[in-house]
Amino acid sequence: MDELYFQLGWQHIINWDAYDHILFVIALSAIYLLGDWRKVLVLVTAFTVGHSITLALSVLHIIRIPAALIEFLIPVTICITAISNIIRKSDEPQKLQLNYFYALFFGLIHGLGFSNYLKSLLGSQANIVKPLLGFNLGLEFGQIIIVMCILLISTAIVKFGGLKRRDWSMFLSSATFGVAFLMVIQGVRALFI
């Protein structure tokens, strides 16, 4: 593993410039509390797997998708995940749910969003395996930091603040949806204007 790319990966994800990615992680985590950390770890890892696949395919020039389309699709994935949280019937997350599918499938889309950034970092390096592995592990580490912060805040608000779990999840998901929806509108303008 390349330590430089590991550091670049986690610093990139924690950077506010990656707020679309942070919003997606918030949407994925919105229905969970600290006691659910194992479920969320599986979600984040599924997201990283999907993310890693398309990141590698794009960096290797096997797939090419216009950046404007990806910049439109990323907030769409956030909106879909947030809406899924809002329309959920139960308070407690199920063992296997739609969020695992979202994490893996939408990770494919988000990976394309990072590909230009990583391509610029790699330049003309011949061997990209170690840098790619380091970068993806760094992203995973950064996502785990974000998730732990979300879970700690959610647990504090629900357990100690007296807010019902469902109400907090609705608030967090609705706020995330609102920001992402504005991004969708901007993405539509970029695609068609």
Side-chain angles (χ1 to χ4, degrees), residues 10-53:
W10 72 263
Q11 286 176 348
H12 184 68
I13 198 63
I14 290 178
N15 186 331
W16 188 244
D17 289 337
Y19 74 96
D20 56 343
H21 196 92
I22 294 169
L23 284 173
F24 185 72
V25 173
I26 291 171
L28 275 180
S29 306
I31 60 173
Y32 297 100
L33 298 178
L34 195 54
D36 303 314
W37 68 269
R38 286 180 190 89
K39 293 176 187 174
V40 184
L41 184 61
V42 171
L43 276 173
V44 170
T45 302
F47 181 76
T48 301
V49 167
H51 189 278
S52 300
I53 291 168

Side-chain angles (χ1 to χ4, degrees), residues 17-180:
D17 289 337
Y19 74 96
D20 56 343
H21 196 92
I22 294 169
L23 284 173
F24 185 72
V25 173
I26 291 171
L28 275 180
S29 306
I31 60 173
Y32 297 100
L33 298 178
L34 195 54
D36 303 314
W37 68 269
R38 286 180 190 89
K39 293 176 187 174
V40 184
L41 184 61
V42 171
L43 276 173
V44 170
T45 302
F47 181 76
T48 301
V49 167
H51 189 278
S52 300
I53 291 168
T54 52
L55 191 56
L57 292 174
S58 180
V59 167
L60 294 170
H61 304 286
I62 295 172
I63 58 172
R64 290 186 181 106
I65 298 178
L69 179 59
I70 297 304
E71 293 304 316
F72 166 73
L73 289 175
I74 287 173
V76 168
T77 66
I78 300 165
C79 287
I80 291 170
T81 305
I83 288 171
S84 176
N85 292 342
I86 292 167
I87 63 173
R88 289 173 39 80
K89 300 254 190 273
S90 77
D91 233 10
E92 299 285 326
Q94 307 299 318
K95 283 191 175 188
L96 182 61
Q97 58 186 353
L98 208 46
N99 275 5
Y100 292 106
F101 168 76
Y102 289 155
L104 179 63
F105 183 70
F106 292 165
L108 295 170
I109 294 169
H110 284 248
L112 293 168
F114 276 118
S115 64
N116 288 334
Y117 173 74
L118 188 57
K119 283 179 196 175
S120 68
L121 290 175
L122 290 172
S124 60
Q125 286 188 31
N127 186 356
I128 65 161
V129 173
K130 287 174 97 175
L132 194 59
L133 177 64
F135 189 76
N136 280 311
L137 289 175
L139 286 174
E140 177 82 352
F141 178 71
Q143 289 176 152
I144 290 170
I145 290 171
I146 294 166
V147 163
M148 291 311 293
C149 290
I150 295 164
L151 295 180
L152 286 168
I153 291 168
S154 295
T155 300
I157 288 172
V158 170
K159 298 287 184 187
F160 307 113
L163 196 61
K164 291 181 181 174
R165 182 177 186 155
R166 178 76 178 136
D167 292 342
W168 172 248
S169 173
M170 290 283 286
F171 168 78
L172 196 54
S173 297
S174 297
T176 304
F177 175 83
V179 174

